[in-house]
Amino acid sequence: MAILVHNQSPDWNEELYLGTLERAIPDPQNPPSGLVAHFAGPREGGGWQVIDVWESEEQLRAFLEGAVLPAAKELGAPPFDTVVTEVRNSLIP
């Protein structure tokens, strides 16, 4: 079952996001297994958000624990909130 993931923090910014992304996915042509789609941008009122679609929560957790969290820690980035929900519908034109 596919999942929708919303990561966000009022304390993140584009610089922290890009630094973490470069470390977590050094080759964008070779994304992590299970990643279907990835979107990122500023939050209304400040901060940063990332919205992903993953094939499974297990694949997401493996990527977060194995790549994203270590990369963010290396940069001294603050924690972020993560909400995971089931994908019930998609429309890709």
Side-chain angles (χ1 to χ4, degrees):
M1 161 189 42
I3 58 168
L4 180 68
V5 183
H6 184 204
N7 297 305
Q8 63 87 29
S9 173
D11 302 318
W12 274 64
N13 57 36
E14 186 171 11
E15 181 181 344
L16 282 173
Y17 162 74
L18 290 174
T20 302
L21 181 66
E22 289 171 357
R23 287 166 175 76
I25 306 176
D27 178 7
Q29 299 302 314
N30 187 24
S33 178
L35 179 63
V36 175
H38 175 86
F39 306 93
R43 293 175 61 226
E44 185 174 330
W48 200 256
Q49 63 184 334
V50 175
I51 298 173
D52 289 342
V53 176
W54 285 82
E55 291 175 3
S56 73
E57 190 164 353
E58 293 77 23
Q59 290 168 308
L60 161 69
R61 296 290 172 203
F63 178 64
L64 280 176
E65 293 169 11
V68 173
L69 296 178
K73 184 177 181 180
E74 182 180 318
L75 292 170
F80 52 86
D81 295 323
T82 300
V83 175
V84 177
T85 59
E86 179 182 331
V87 171
R88 299 267 177 108
N89 187 33
S90 64
L91 175 62
I92 303 171

